[in-house]
Amino acid sequence: MLMKEQKRKPAKIQSRFVLGVLADQQLMNTLVNASRQTWIPSFRHDIFYFVGKRRGNSVRFPSKSNIVELPVDDNEYPPVNKTFSMWAYFHQQHLSRYNYFIAIDADTYVNVKNLQIMLNSIKCQNCYVGHPATGEPYERARLGLSAPYCLGMGYVIARNTLRRFAPNVNVCRQSTITNHSDTELGRCIYRFASGISCSRVSTALERVMYTTNKQGAIIPFRRDSHGRLQIEFPEAPPTRFFKAALVHPLKTSHAIYQFHRQVKLQLRPVLPPAFLSGSCVANPVIQNETFPQNRHVLECRLEIPTQYPNHLRSLSAFVVTLHGYEKRLKRTINNFKKHNIHLQRFYGVSNIRSPNTTNMTDGEWSFRLTMIRLIQKVIDAKLQQVLIVEDDAIPHNRFSQLFKELFDNHRCKECVFGGILMLGSTTWASGWKTLDRYNNVEKGICRNICTGNYGSFAVLLNQAVLQPILAWLREKNMPQPYDHVFAHIARLGYPIRLTIPNLVASDTRHVSLIRPRPNHATFNNLTLRAKIHRWKIENYMFSPSNETE
């Protein structure tokens, strides 16, 4: 059997593992390309990609790409011949080079960290391990198996097992009784490798068998006329997917990019009720606000690298202001400077008329546009963290000490490491009603926010949230005031928490430029506002009187 492979240097040393990705020439440009830009760079073992021949001219692949063109139809489905040819290739070309051979489908996502844990646990000389299956009920009687085979989503075969069955793949190919490639491979191994059958691996391999719509209702999978699984990968996957070594299937490049970002950043989004069993979320408060029938949802705990800094000595910080408010700006800069926070001026836009399609004031619209410019500036500067305050922000008298204490608290560090820490909030009565409901479980200085937490006057942002914030700000279908972004980011699974007591308050003694209120006297009464937002005025660096231009 002749097989065409890109030229590669012969191996000098024997490697423990090799991965074979079963694909076709079209998938090489879609799913496999997405995998190459996500999880594959972290995979430290050799990889081969297996495709078939196409009618007419085949696609020309880059040299040194480890792409093997097998002498079978590239469009074959199910890929029975392609699967047998892949194992014949490994047997003929690389039997002595590797101890274990891993095979996955192109629509399988590899959680590299979890897969390595699984591979490290494999020490067998004669084995065939993966996700055991017994076949469709209507065909089990004629399979000739008294033990399971491994599902094609991903499995591992030891060298000795390959040595036993691979010389007989042509016999197996000519005696198939089903059109399932994984079933027929299992039958071949069982027949020619002394009754070896699939054994379960130590780390879970997850199959995506159903998803949900935006209302949380279950949408089961279906198959097309060729038997291919048709399913949309969930935007908010259950926790077990993140613990798995392999997840299958992810049918679009978008799904691979999305899930990889969730794995990499440890995102745990709000989940539909169907996915909650055994799961945790980043924010149980907003989870229960979104689906009120759920209670006692677990909070996920992020892993923070030990080398991650526990304080920010050179924190980049900006103060958002407008021209003409220099006195207020100077006061704010001086107040924070006393706590070793050096604010850089950022002048926003003003008097931009809001579109008729929104209910926002001109001030709210202008502030959104201002934040688009500022967030883009932070992204371009490649800042790891950034503190953004408004020019009426008032720090706590003990801001320096309280700020340092944040980095001794794991839940606070989770936000610094990969989310948002709101150092203050204009929380109203309805918001406090929600937060107070969780006083028995929300302990410490950093508490999960609810949808009623507003106030952009002092926030600490990690670079991980910058692009999602920018995408939300540029969304044209449902624009809202900027304050609503925090609940949105929390729903996506980022840790978003509020410091209680607030490390920063807001000077409310002037007319708001963002949303002016008709009853200025009441709304701008600092004593009343402090009571509502639970600020103890004497604890903050308020000036004796309102200093406005």
Side-chain angles (χ1 to χ4, degrees):
M1 186 185 301
L2 297 177
M3 310 191 190
K4 187 171 68 177
E5 178 194 353
Q6 302 291 342
K7 291 183 179 180
R8 63 193 321 277
K9 295 180 180 180
K12 294 182 179 180
I13 58 173
Q14 182 176 341
S15 300
R16 184 165 163 77
F17 299 102
V18 63
L19 174 65
V21 180
L22 200 64
D24 58 43
Q25 297 195 24
Q26 180 179 356
L27 289 177
M28 289 300 301
N29 296 320
T30 55
L31 300 188
V32 173
N33 184 55
S35 295
R36 282 173 156 175
Q37 296 184 53
T38 53
W39 63 264
I40 285 179
S42 300
F43 190 77
R44 301 306 181 193
H45 306 287
D46 289 349
I47 300 180
F48 289 86
Y49 307 94
F50 293 91
V51 300
K53 287 183 173 294
R54 302 187 70 175
R55 297 182 182 90
N57 295 327
S58 296
V59 176
R60 294 181 64 87
F61 296 107
S63 60
K64 300 181 181 180
S65 56
N66 281 18
I67 299 174
V68 181
E69 188 176 88
L70 302 170
V72 297
D73 182 4
D74 192 48
N75 296 320
E76 175 198 29
Y77 190 86
V80 177
N81 290 307
K82 191 179 289 184
T83 298
F84 281 132
S85 295
M86 175 182 69
W87 288 111
Y89 169 83
F90 272 142
H91 178 258
Q92 293 171 8
Q93 302 293 330
H94 300 291
L95 179 65
S96 62
R97 186 180 176 197
Y98 301 104
N99 294 333
Y100 298 96
F101 299 80
I102 314 161
I104 65 169
D105 287 340
D107 56 358
T108 296
Y109 178 87
V110 176
N111 190 329
V112 174
K113 179 180 177 181
N114 294 343
L115 179 64
Q116 191 59 54
I117 293 173
M118 183 192 91
L119 296 179
N120 290 342
S121 69
I122 297 177
K123 304 184 186 304
C124 51
Q125 296 297 316
N126 302 276
C127 63
Y128 166 41
V129 296
H131 192 297
T134 55
E136 299 292 345
Y138 66 86
E139 62 187 10
R140 288 174 188 165
R142 56 196 181 98
L143 291 181
L145 291 171
S146 59
Y149 61 89
C150 289
L151 289 177
M153 60 179 288
Y155 52 97
V156 182
I157 291 178
R159 183 200 300 147
N160 286 349
T161 304
L162 179 61
R163 180 185 289 115
R164 292 182 181 185
F165 83 86
N168 303 285
V169 293
N170 284 334
V171 176
C172 296
R173 194 197 311 263
Q174 295 167 9
S175 57
T176 60
I177 59 175
T178 74
N179 64 349
H180 307 304
S181 56
D182 50 5
T183 305
E184 291 304 324
L185 178 66
R187 291 181 65 241
C188 188
I189 293 174
Y190 187 76
R191 179 180 177 186
F192 289 104
S194 303
I196 292 177
S197 61
C198 182
S199 57
R200 188 175 299 275
V201 292
S202 58
T203 305
L205 310 181
E206 290 291 344
R207 302 175 71 197
V208 184
M209 301 305 292
Y210 63 90
T211 185
T212 63
N213 60 21
K214 292 183 179 179
Q215 290 72 41
I218 293 178
I219 303 174
F221 76 89
R222 54 188 175 82
R223 297 186 185 275
D224 63 14
S225 58
H226 299 285
R228 294 183 177 92
L229 189 66
Q230 302 294 302
I231 193 165
E232 183 177 341
F233 193 78
E235 292 286 334
T239 302
R240 67 178 187 274
F241 284 12
F242 297 98
K243 297 179 180 179
L246 306 175
V247 181
H248 170 89
L250 285 77
K251 291 296 186 181
T252 65
S253 298
H254 168 75
I256 293 175
Y257 289 121
Q258 167 212 300
F259 186 57
H260 179 72
R261 181 175 179 84
Q262 292 171 330
V263 170
K264 181 179 178 181
L265 299 178
Q266 303 181 63
L267 305 187
R268 300 296 183 267
V270 166
L271 291 173
F275 289 172
L276 271 177
S277 178
S279 290
C280 63
V281 296
N283 190 315
V285 178
I286 289 183
Q287 170 71 44
N288 285 334
E289 285 185 294
T290 307
F291 296 101
Q293 68 271 32
N294 301 317
R295 293 293 183 268
H296 308 297
V297 182
L298 294 177
E299 177 182 296
C300 302
R301 184 179 177 90
L302 270 63
E303 294 182 15
I304 300 176
T306 54
Q307 70 274 19
Y308 196 78
N310 59 4
H311 57 80
L312 303 173
R313 294 180 178 177
S314 57
L315 176 65
S316 297
F318 293 90
V319 54
V320 181
T321 189
L322 296 174
H323 291 288
Y325 295 88
E326 304 305 323
K327 191 174 181 180
R328 184 195 305 173
L329 174 64
K330 182 178 180 181
R331 180 197 63 187
T332 303
I333 290 177
N334 289 337
N335 281 343
F336 279 90
K337 188 175 182 180
K338 293 175 183 177
H339 297 283
N340 296 317
I341 300 293
H342 301 279
L343 299 175
Q344 303 176 49
R345 294 175 175 85
F346 186 86
Y347 288 97
V349 299
S350 61
N351 300 319
I352 306 296
R353 186 172 296 279
S354 64
N356 295 330
T357 55
T358 75
N359 293 321
M360 284 185 284
T361 66
D362 293 349
E364 288 170 333
W365 182 251
S366 296
F367 192 69
R368 275 182 66 107
L369 297 179
T370 295
M371 293 310 297
I372 288 176
R373 296 184 182 185
L374 178 52
I375 296 299
Q376 187 62 64
K377 176 183 176 71
V378 174
I379 291 174
D380 293 343
K382 299 181 180 180
L383 301 179
Q384 182 73 29
Q385 285 93 13
V386 61
L387 173 65
I388 299 176
V389 304
E390 296 175 19
D391 63 7
D392 56 2
I394 306 295
H396 197 285
N397 295 327
R398 297 172 53 241
F399 180 88
S400 299
Q401 179 182 345
L402 295 174
F403 193 67
K404 289 179 181 178
E405 290 176 1
L406 297 179
F407 304 101
D408 294 326
N409 182 291
H410 186 86
R411 297 180 79 235
C412 298
K413 286 196 291 186
E414 287 180 338
C415 300
V416 177
F417 171 67
I420 299 175
L421 197 55
M422 299 178 67
L423 303 183
S425 171
T426 51
T427 305
W428 302 90
S430 59
W432 284 115
K433 183 178 180 180
T434 299
L435 293 183
D436 289 343
R437 200 177 302 149
Y438 294 88
N439 281 340
N440 60 328
V441 292
E442 290 282 342
K443 307 293 184 181
I445 191 173
C446 294
R447 314 282 185 89
N448 282 313
I449 67 165
C450 67
T451 56
N453 287 129
Y454 305 106
S456 55
F457 56 86
V459 290
L460 185 63
L461 307 177
N462 180 273
Q463 65 174 359
V465 303
L466 298 179
Q467 287 291 355
I469 290 176
L470 197 60
W472 183 86
L473 286 170
R474 288 174 171 165
E475 175 63 49
K476 296 180 179 180
N477 294 331
M478 294 185 298
Q480 295 174 303
Y482 177 70
D483 282 5
H484 291 254
V485 74
F486 304 115
H488 167 74
I489 299 299
R491 292 188 190 97
L492 296 180
Y494 295 86
I496 317 295
R497 298 195 173 102
L498 168 67
T499 58
I500 298 179
N502 290 179
L503 270 62
V504 181
S506 178
D507 195 336
T508 64
R509 293 174 292 184
H510 57 80
V511 176
S512 173
L513 299 176
I514 295 178
R515 178 178 280 275
R517 306 287 175 163
N519 190 346
H520 298 315
T522 301
F523 191 80
N524 302 124
N525 184 308
L526 179 59
T527 302
L528 177 60
R529 291 288 299 278
K531 182 178 181 181
I532 294 173
H533 305 315
R534 301 187 184 180
W535 301 328
K536 291 185 178 180
I537 296 177
E538 63 274 16
N539 290 341
Y540 298 87
M541 300 174 68
F542 284 102
S543 58
S545 61
N546 187 19
E547 299 175 357
T548 59
E549 284 72 20

